[in-house]
C-alpha cells in the first residue's frame, strides 16, 4: 500500500457568515505550520470563498467549493461553474455529496458531468459516495457504492484518477453522531480500492486517496485513520470549530506516523 499524507477537508455546508468564516479560517491558518504533513482543505459556502481565500493566501491550507454546475457559462440562474471556482481560488470542489443527491436530485450521470467539468478547469473533485441506512440494512451497501463509482467515473481514464479524491460517507453516519466503526469503514474502503484496481489497475488504485466522512470527531479519528485504506477525512460538524478540526488533523497525523 502506498502511504499518503493524511488529507483532511472541512465541509462547512450551509453555515457561517463571511465574518464567521474569516474567523474560523484565521484560527486554522494560525496553527497550520504545526500541522505540516497533512493536506488541509476548507470548503466554505460560496458567499465566503472570497474572504477565506484571502486568509489562506501564503498558507498551506487549500480552498474548496461545495458544488458546481457542469456548463462553463450561460443562462443557468443560481449556478456556479468550474472556471468560476478556479477564478475564486478553489483547488478542490466537493461533488455528489449525499445531501445534494438526497435534497437536490443529483444523479450519478450529473455527478459524472460535474467531475469532468471540474477536471477540465483544473479543479480537483472530492467525489462522494455512500449508502443509506436502509440500503445497508438490506445488504446493498456494495451494490450502491459500485453503482455510484461506476456512474461517477464513467469514461474517466486512469491518467486523471490521481486528480480525484474519493470520499466514502455512509448517509446514516452523517450528522447523526453515529460513526462507522473503523472495521465497517475499512471494509468499504478496501472494496472501493478493489473496484478501482479492477478498472484502473493496482498501481493507480493504491495511489488513490479515499476519505471517510460521517461524524468524524477528535475521539474517533486516530482509530479510523489507523486503518490501512483510510487516507483522511471529510468532516462536517466538527470542522465548524477550529479546536475540534485542528485536533482531528493532529490525530490523523499521529495515526499516519504510526501506520506501516
Ligand atoms: P458530519 O461530520 O457532520 O457527520 O458530516 C459529514 C459530512 O457530510 C461531510 O461532508
Amino acid at each position: 500500500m502506498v502511504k499518503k499524507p493524511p488529507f483532511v477537508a472541512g465541509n462547512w455546508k450551509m453555515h457561517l457568515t463571511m465574518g464567521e468564516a474569516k474567523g474560523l479560517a484565521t484560527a486554522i491558518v494560525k496553527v497550520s505550520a504545526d500541522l505540516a504533513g497533512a493536506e488541509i482543505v476548507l470548503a466554505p459556502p460560496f458567499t465566503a470563498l472570497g474572504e477565506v481565500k484571502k486568509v489562506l493566501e501564503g498558507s498551506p491550507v487549500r480552498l474548496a467549493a461545495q458544488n458546481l454546475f457542469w456548463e462553463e457559462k450561460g443562462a443557468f440562474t443560481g449556478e456556479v461553474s468550474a472556471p468560476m471556482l478556479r477564478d475564486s481560488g478553489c483547488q478542490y470542489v466537493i461533488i455528489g455529496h449525499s445531501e445534494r443527491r438526497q435534497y437536490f436530485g443529483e444523479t450519478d450521470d450529473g455527478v459524472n458531468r460535474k467531475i469532468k467539468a471540474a477536471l477540465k478547469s483544473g479543479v480537483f473533485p472530492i467525489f462522494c459516495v455512500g449508502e443509506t441506512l436502509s440500503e445497508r440494512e438490506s445488504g446493498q451497501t456494495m451494490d450502491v457504492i459500485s453503482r455510484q463509482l461506476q456512474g461517477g467515473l464513467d469514461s474517466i481514464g486512469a491518467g486523471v484518477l490521481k486528480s480525484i479524491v474519493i470520499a466514502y460517507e455512509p448517509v446514516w453516519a452523517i450528522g447523526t453522531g453515529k460513526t462507522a466503526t473503523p472495521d465497517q469503514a475499512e471494509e468499504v474502503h478496501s472494496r472501493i480500492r478493489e473496484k478501482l484496481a479492477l478498472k484502473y489497475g493496482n498501481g493507480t488504485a493504491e495511489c488513490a486517496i479515499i476519505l471517510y466522512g460521517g461524524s468524524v470527531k477528535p475521539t474517533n479519528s486516530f482509530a479510523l485513520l489507523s486503518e490501512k485504506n483510510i487516507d483522511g477525512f471529510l468532516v462536517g460538524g466538527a470542522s465548524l470549530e477550529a479546536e475540534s478540526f485542528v485536533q482531528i488533523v493532529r490525530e490523523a497525523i499521529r495515526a499516519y506516523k504510526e501506520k506501516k
Side-chain angles (χ1 to χ4, degrees), residues 64-116:
Q66 300 174 17
N67 184 28
L68 84 170
F69 185 53
W70 56 75
E71 294 291 343
E72 289 191 0
K73 59 182 168 182
F76 302 104
T77 303
E79 296 296 326
V80 174
S81 72
M84 289 170 179
L85 295 185
R86 176 83 195 188
D87 183 51
S88 306
C90 295
Q91 277 102 343
Y92 293 94
V93 57
I94 298 170
I95 297 178
H97 192 280
S98 65
E99 286 149 14
R100 296 219 52 88
R101 294 178 188 260
Q102 203 177 340
Y103 306 131
F104 303 98
E106 289 205 356
T107 61
D108 294 326
D109 175 60
V111 168
N112 179 249
R113 289 177 186 224
K114 289 183 176 195
I115 290 176
K116 287 175 180 157

Side-chain angles (χ1 to χ4, degrees), residues 228-249:
K228 187 167 147 210
N229 285 288
I230 300 182
D231 304 312
F233 302 120
L234 183 54
V235 188
S239 71
L240 293 170
E241 300 273 350
E243 205 179 312
S244 48
F245 183 68
V246 166
Q247 197 52 34
I248 289 169
V249 179

